[in-house]
Amino acid sequence: MGEKIVLSAKGIYKEFPGVKALQDVSFFLREGEIHALMGENGAGKSTLVKVLTGVYEKDKGIIEVDGKESDIRSPQDAQDSGISTVYQEITLCPNLTVAENMFIGRGKYHFVNRRAQEKKAGEILSKLNIPAKASQQLGTCSLAVQQMVAIARAVDMECKVLILDEPTSSLDECEVELLFSLMRDLKQRGVGIIFITHFLEQVYEVCDKITVLRNGELVGEYSVSELPKVQLISAMLGKDLEDISNLRNSRRNYEGKGEIVYEANGLSSAEGVRPFDFAINKGEVNGFTGLLGSGRSESVRAIFAADRVTGGKVKVNGNDVKITRPIDAMKNGIGYLPEDRKGDGIIQDLSVRENLILALQVLKGFRHPISRAESEKLADEFIDLLEIKTASKETPIKSLSGGNQQKVILARWLLTHPQFLILDEPTRGIDVGTKLEIQKQVLKLASEGVSITFISSEIEEMLAVCSRLIVMRDRKIVGELKDEMLRQDVIMKTIAGGKAKNG
C-alpha cells in the first residue's frame, strides 16, 4: 500500500430539502489501498458515493483524482476521471457472453470483431485470475464470477479508483473468498478500492483503512490494525462503551407470562438466514439487534414468511402449523410492520382509510368486502386512538408525514387483533414526540397480552422497550441477552464477537 493519494474529497457538503446529507465530510483513498466506508442507515455513505460518481452534484467541497481537481457532474465525468463503480445489483446482461459484457457500449463502430474481442477479454480474465471463459454466456456463471466480470470491465477501462457497493451481500463464503482474491490482486496492481459492506468480519479480513460516517458527518479515519471491532461499532452507533442507559422500569413488566405463543425450530429462508430457533411468550417484548445487514430483518421476514421459507418447524399456541405465505401468518394471528415503509408498507395512492383496512380485508377475503360504513367507522376509531394527524380519512396516505404513515400501518395490524406483532424499525425517520407515542403504544399492547418483536437500529430504544434481545451477526444468532446483561457495552461486545452469558 502506497502513500500516494489517488482520490481525495475535501469538505464535501450535500443538502436535500430538510436533510443535511453530508456536512464537511472529507475522505482520502491511497494507491493500492482497500478502504472500507462504514456507517449505519442515513450515515451518508450512499450520498458520498453518489457525489464521487457524479450521480449527485456536491453543494460545496473539492474532489481531486491523482492530485488534480476534478469537476464531476455526471457518471461519465467520473468514468473519465478514472472512477468506476460496481453495484450490489449486477447490471450486466446474462444472455450475452462474458466478452460481450466486458466490451458492450465501448465499440467505435457498428461491426464488432468478435474473435478479437474474445481474445482481449480472455487476456484480461487470465491476468486477473477470473475463472470464466470469454465465450461463455454470463448467465451460466456464479454470482461471484458475474461480480468479478463487472469488476474486470471497470478495471479494463483504466480506473484508478474502484468502488464496490455491497458486492458480497448475495455471495456464499467460497464466492466471497474468490472476490477477495481479486480485490487483493487489484490492490497489488495499485488500484485504490472503496469497499462498502455491513459485514464486519469481511472488513477486518480484506481492508487496510476504515472511514466511519454518522448522521452525514465524518467520525474519523482509522487503520484496521489499530481499531478493535467494539470501538468500530461504538463509532458507527455513536455510543461510548461506558455509557449505560437508565433502563425504564416499565420494561421489566413485559417479560411475558410463560405461555409460549409462537415457537420456531431451525427456521431458514431463501434470503440467506442461517437456521435459527426462536420463541416468544404471551405479553413479551423482545427484539433482534445487530448492525445493518446482520440478518435481523431477514429473520423476522422468515417468521412472517415475507421471504420464501426454506426450512424449519413452527408452533403457534403449542400446535404445529405450516406458515409458508404471509396469509398463513396472518391467519395464525401474526402481524408484520415492515422495515421499508414506502416499499412494503403503504400504498401511496390509496387513502388513509383504504390503507388502514387492508390487512383486515385480506383476512376476510375479497369476496367479503368491508362495507364503506364499517371502514369509515374503523378509520375514525383508529385515527383517534393513535392520534393520526391527517386532514381526513380520505386523504392520500402519501400526503402524511412519515410518522403518521407509520401509525396508519400500525393501526392496520391492530385492526386484525394480532396475538404476535412484529415491528421492524417502527420509529425510523420520525420525530421524537411520535417515536415516544409508538413506544408507549408498544408497551400498552404488551400489557394487554400481545407478544411483540421489536427491531430498531437505536440501542437506547431497544433497551427501553425490550426485556430480551437476540443479537445477530453475519445472518446468524450470536447471543441472547436479558436481565443485568441488557446493557449497551454488552450488546456491542456481543455484536463484535465477544462472549456474553447471562448470569
Side-chain angles (χ1 to χ4, degrees):
M1 184 179 74
E3 286 304 313
K4 178 187 174 185
I5 293 176
V6 290
L7 172 69
S8 69
K10 303 173 186 175
I12 304 296
Y13 286 80
K14 182 63 185 175
E15 191 168 337
F16 301 103
V19 179
K20 292 180 178 178
L22 295 173
Q23 299 180 71
D24 195 21
V25 169
S26 294
F27 177 85
F28 302 95
L29 177 69
R30 293 153 194 85
E31 187 177 60
E33 175 181 82
I34 303 178
H35 197 134
L37 184 58
M38 305 288 286
E40 287 284 87
N41 254 8
K45 304 188 304 293
S46 296
T47 304
L48 179 59
V49 166
K50 286 176 179 176
V51 166
L52 294 174
T53 55
V55 176
Y56 294 154
E57 279 194 51
K58 64 187 183 303
D59 296 334
K60 188 177 169 184
I62 297 171
I63 297 173
E64 294 177 348
V65 180
D66 265 350
K68 297 177 182 177
E69 186 170 347
S70 294
D71 186 23
I72 298 174
R73 295 173 178 268
S74 70
Q76 188 60 52
D77 289 343
Q79 192 76 65
D80 293 344
S81 296
I83 302 172
S84 290
T85 308
V86 176
Y87 294 100
Q88 176 181 355
E89 298 297 327
I90 298 167
T91 53
L92 302 181
C93 303
N95 57 317
L96 299 182
T97 67
V98 168
E100 287 168 334
N101 271 285
M102 287 174 65
F103 294 102
I104 191 169
R106 294 167 58 189
K108 293 181 182 178
Y109 308 104
H110 182 69
F111 296 102
V112 175
N113 184 330
R114 295 189 185 281
R115 183 175 295 176
Q117 190 182 70
E118 287 188 3
K119 183 182 178 187
K120 172 70 172 170
E123 290 170 358
I124 298 166
L125 294 169
S126 176
K127 183 172 74 174
L128 296 176
N129 296 312
I130 297 174
K133 293 181 180 178
S135 59
Q136 78 180 101
Q137 194 177 48
L138 184 71
T140 64
C141 301
S142 69
L143 277 176
V145 171
Q146 290 184 41
Q147 286 278 20
M148 293 166 82
V149 170
I151 292 170
R153 172 183 165 83
V155 170
D156 185 52
M157 294 169 84
E158 298 182 349
C159 75
K160 302 179 182 74
V161 175
L162 178 64
I163 302 174
L164 300 179
D165 188 0
E166 295 285 357
T168 64
S169 59
S170 301
L171 308 183
D172 63 29
E173 289 178 16
C174 293
E175 291 174 328
V176 168
E177 204 42 61
L178 205 60
L179 183 62
F180 284 177
S181 177
L182 175 57
M183 289 168 66
R184 292 185 184 106
D185 190 22
L186 294 173
K187 171 184 170 176
Q188 292 301 318
R189 297 171 188 273
V191 178
I193 300 174
I194 300 175
F195 182 45
I196 301 171
T197 182
H198 294 299
F199 296 113
L200 290 188
E201 299 293 340
Q202 294 179 6
V203 170
Y204 281 84
E205 185 174 343
V206 79
C207 294
D208 305 300
K209 290 280 179 71
I210 300 172
T211 287
V212 178
L213 302 182
R214 187 174 68 246
N215 298 328
E217 298 179 358
L218 175 68
V219 177
E221 180 190 285
Y222 311 90
S223 292
V224 169
S225 59
E226 297 171 1
L227 184 69
K229 289 178 195 170
V230 172
Q231 288 183 21
L232 170 57
I233 295 165
S234 177
M236 290 169 64
L237 299 179
K239 302 298 168 197
D240 191 319
L241 295 179
E242 301 303 317
D243 175 24
I244 300 173
S245 292
N246 293 320
L247 306 186
R248 293 185 189 174
N249 293 329
S250 58
R251 193 205 65 215
R252 296 292 185 187
N253 298 326
Y254 306 111
E255 297 180 1
K257 309 291 188 277
E259 179 184 327
I260 297 176
V261 169
Y262 172 94
E263 183 177 7
N265 294 104
L267 192 64
S268 61
S269 80
E271 290 303 308
V273 177
R274 314 254 184 115
F276 68 96
D277 299 338
F278 172 79
I280 188 167
N281 294 333
K282 183 174 181 178
E284 178 187 4
V285 184
N286 66 21
F288 283 83
T289 190
L291 296 178
L292 201 67
S294 62
R296 60 194 191 198
S297 293
E298 289 82 359
S299 296
V300 294
R301 287 178 65 85
I303 291 170
F304 190 70
D307 295 328
R308 184 169 62 85
V309 174
T310 54
K313 294 182 178 179
V314 171
K315 288 184 178 181
V316 174
N317 297 323
N319 300 313
D320 291 326
V321 297
K322 195 171 183 180
I323 298 178
T324 56
R325 302 171 302 162
I327 188 65
D328 300 330
M330 292 166 68
K331 286 178 178 176
N332 281 284
I334 303 172
Y336 168 57
L337 188 150
E339 177 185 23
D340 184 356
R341 177 171 62 231
K342 289 192 174 174
D344 296 333
I346 65 170
I347 299 179
Q348 297 198 43
D349 292 327
L350 295 186
S351 68
V352 170
R353 174 183 59 82
E354 290 165 324
N355 269 278
L356 204 144
I357 64 167
L358 201 57
L360 184 60
Q361 184 63 78
V362 169
L363 272 177
K364 283 178 173 286
F366 287 97
R367 291 183 179 180
H368 306 282
I370 299 170
S371 71
R372 179 65 180 248
E374 185 184 358
S375 70
E376 288 183 352
K377 181 184 174 187
L378 291 169
D380 286 336
E381 180 185 339
F382 279 87
I383 286 170
D384 287 343
L385 177 68
L386 296 183
E387 299 179 3
I388 299 169
K389 293 179 176 64
T390 176
S392 115
K393 54 181 169 284
E394 301 307 325
T395 300
I397 195 169
K398 63 185 177 185
S399 304
L400 274 58
S401 69
N404 284 295
Q405 289 177 3
Q406 203 73 306
K407 286 183 178 182
V408 172
I409 305 172
L410 182 57
R412 174 192 295 168
W413 289 109
L414 296 184
L415 262 177
T416 67
H417 302 291
Q419 59 175 334
F420 175 25
L421 186 57
I422 300 166
L423 304 175
D424 192 354
E425 295 283 7
T427 66
R428 176 187 288 162
I430 62 180
D431 63 83
V432 175
T434 306
K435 184 177 288 192
L436 285 172
E437 287 175 32
I438 289 178
Q439 290 174 8
K440 287 176 184 174
Q441 190 66 42
V442 166
L443 296 177
K444 180 175 179 289
L445 288 168
S447 71
E448 295 167 357
V450 179
S451 304
I452 297 174
T453 290
F454 192 93
I455 293 177
S456 171
S457 49
E458 297 181 27
I459 288 181
E460 316 99 301
E461 185 171 40
M462 296 290 280
L463 290 172
V465 298
C466 298
S467 60
R468 178 165 61 100
L469 287 181
I470 294 146
V471 184
M472 299 203 70
R473 185 178 68 250
D474 297 339
R475 302 201 172 183
K476 63 181 178 182
I477 294 174
V478 294
E480 186 175 306
L481 307 175
K482 58 183 180 180
D483 301 328
E484 71 277 1
M485 301 301 283
L486 279 176
R487 305 197 314 264
Q488 287 180 357
D489 59 329
V490 178
I491 292 169
M492 286 191 277
K493 284 174 184 172
T494 308
I495 291 172
K499 294 182 179 178
K501 297 179 181 178
N502 285 299

